[in-house]
């Protein structure tokens, strides 16, 4: 298992959390997603390391931004 923590810009509420979670869960190999709206972070557990481009595409599909600089 691999855990990645990503900074996501633009989330403000539970709806944001749901949209981001649903999109990231569609990435092959993802086993869990935990969104912290207050800290602007998403913790993703996966079977193997994820390609940042896939994570960025999922976040953007949800309507938010994954900045170039990550925690």
């Amino acid at each position: 298992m691999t855990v990645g923590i990503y900074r996501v810009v633009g989330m403000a509420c539970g709806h944001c959390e749901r949209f981001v979670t649903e999109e990231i869960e569609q990435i092959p190999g993802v086993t869990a997603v935990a969104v912290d709206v207050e800290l602007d972070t998403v913790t993703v557990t996966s079977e193997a390391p994820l390609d940042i481009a896939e994570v960025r595409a999922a976040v953007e599909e949800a309507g938010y931004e994954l900045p170039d600089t990550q925690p």
Side-chain angles (χ1 to χ4, degrees), residues 44-55:
V44 182
T45 305
S46 57
E47 296 169 351
L50 298 177
D51 182 340
I52 189 77
E54 284 187 285
V55 178

Side-chain angles (χ1 to χ4, degrees), residues 11-59:
M11 298 186 300
C13 64
H15 287 73
C16 302
E17 177 182 343
R18 188 182 74 217
F19 295 144
V20 170
T21 299
E22 288 174 356
E23 290 298 330
I24 293 176
E25 284 178 336
Q26 293 181 38
I27 299 171
V30 170
T31 57
V33 178
V35 176
D36 188 324
V37 174
E38 290 183 20
L39 295 178
D40 294 329
T41 60
V42 178
T43 302
V44 182
T45 305
S46 57
E47 296 169 351
L50 298 177
D51 182 340
I52 189 77
E54 284 187 285
V55 178
R56 179 170 281 113
V59 168

